[in-house]
Amino acid sequence: WALTLAGVVDGGVLTPGGLPPVNYDITPLVGAFVSGFQNIEPVSFLIVVLTFFFVDFFDTAGTLIGVSQFGDFLDEDGNLPEMEKPLMADAIATTFGAIVGTTTVTTYVESSTGVEEGGRTGLTALVVALLFLASLVLVPVVAAIPTYASYLGLVLVGLIMLQGVTDIQWDDAEWLIPGGLTIVMMPLTASIANGIAAGIISYPIVRAAQGEYRSVHVAQWVLAASFVLYFYVTAGGVMGG
């Protein structure tokens, strides 16, 4: 709020006419994607679908693990029991949000702050959803808040998430290299999915270099190869040449 007030004083937040106008009408966007299927090119469409799948799935999976760590939801092996349930909820929300023309409805790492405060059940999510619905009348006020006013909160969330790195076995190259690449690549590429991809690609390579290639599951090699192909495609290797 202090940064917002500073922006008001500086004259860079509010428009001369007052609060910025907000358009609540989403009907032009609802179902608009249907018309796009009329002139679709199958190969390009498949590449787009796979690209979004990799980004959304691994971004969500990484977020769920990070948030669950703070909620003490992980088992002794570091896995989230019945992870398919929150993944399904995220998939349905993402799809529905796209259909009605909103921004992506997905899992956010900022949820870790709510978990830290004790919100650890589905009831918390329902209450938050109802509060968001009630806050629609305040959208013009919220829209007047400059984006830089929220940066400090994001930095705080990032610092909270860093607590999890203490559980990594940094004295073992098997965890050091994939874990380090994952942590470094996330901020460098501004993508949780890219960070996870770096870790997944490097893990079987490191294990094989240590002579432990027999312990690497075939699925891990397939997943690593899939990410290499994903990066090649998104970098323009197929679409550009």
Side-chain angles (χ1 to χ4, degrees):
W1 287 109
L3 290 174
T4 302
L5 291 176
V8 172
V9 174
D10 184 57
V13 173
L14 296 179
T15 61
L19 295 177
V22 177
N23 180 21
Y24 292 98
D25 185 14
I26 64 172
T27 52
L29 298 175
V30 176
F33 68 93
V34 177
S35 60
F37 284 98
Q38 297 177 357
N39 300 310
I40 196 171
E41 204 281 311
V43 176
S44 298
F45 180 71
L46 179 61
I47 292 175
V48 170
V49 170
L50 291 177
T51 299
F52 277 101
F53 168 76
F54 271 102
V55 172
D56 186 72
F57 176 79
F58 286 99
D59 183 79
T60 300
T63 301
L64 284 174
I65 294 298
V67 173
S68 298
Q69 186 176 19
F70 291 98
D72 197 24
F73 298 144
L74 303 181
D75 58 24
E76 56 185 17
D77 296 324
N79 300 318
L80 178 60
E82 298 184 324
M83 188 175 182
E84 67 277 3
K85 292 182 178 179
L87 285 175
M88 178 59 71
D90 182 89
I92 294 174
T94 301
T95 303
F96 179 78
I99 291 176
V100 298
T102 68
T103 53
T104 307
V105 182
T106 187
T107 311
Y108 281 90
V109 294
E110 287 83 351
S111 300
S112 59
T113 56
V115 172
E116 286 271 301
E117 293 298 324
R120 307 187 179 192
T121 66
L123 181 61
T124 303
L126 291 176
V127 172
V128 171
L130 291 175
L131 291 176
F132 267 114
L133 182 63
S135 66
L136 286 177
V137 295
L138 300 176
V139 168
V141 178
V142 176
I145 300 176
T147 55
Y148 57 76
S150 62
Y151 291 168
L152 183 60
L154 295 177
V155 171
L156 180 60
V157 171
L159 293 176
I160 293 175
M161 297 296 290
L162 279 176
Q163 298 176 24
V165 303
T166 57
D167 295 330
I168 299 177
Q169 302 176 26
W170 294 108
D171 57 342
D172 188 346
E174 174 186 347
W175 300 104
L176 169 65
I177 297 177
L181 286 175
T182 299
I183 294 172
V184 171
M185 290 302 294
M186 285 183 183
L188 288 180
T189 62
S191 170
I192 293 177
N194 287 344
I196 296 175
I200 290 177
I201 293 174
S202 61
Y203 179 77
I205 297 176
V206 172
R207 293 290 289 169
Q210 292 177 324
E212 301 291 338
Y213 60 90
R214 295 180 183 273
S215 64
V216 181
H217 197 278
V218 175
Q220 292 176 311
W221 285 111
V222 172
L223 193 57
S226 299
F227 266 116
V228 171
L229 178 62
Y230 160 72
F231 284 127
Y232 174 71
V233 171
T234 54
V238 170
M239 303 179 78

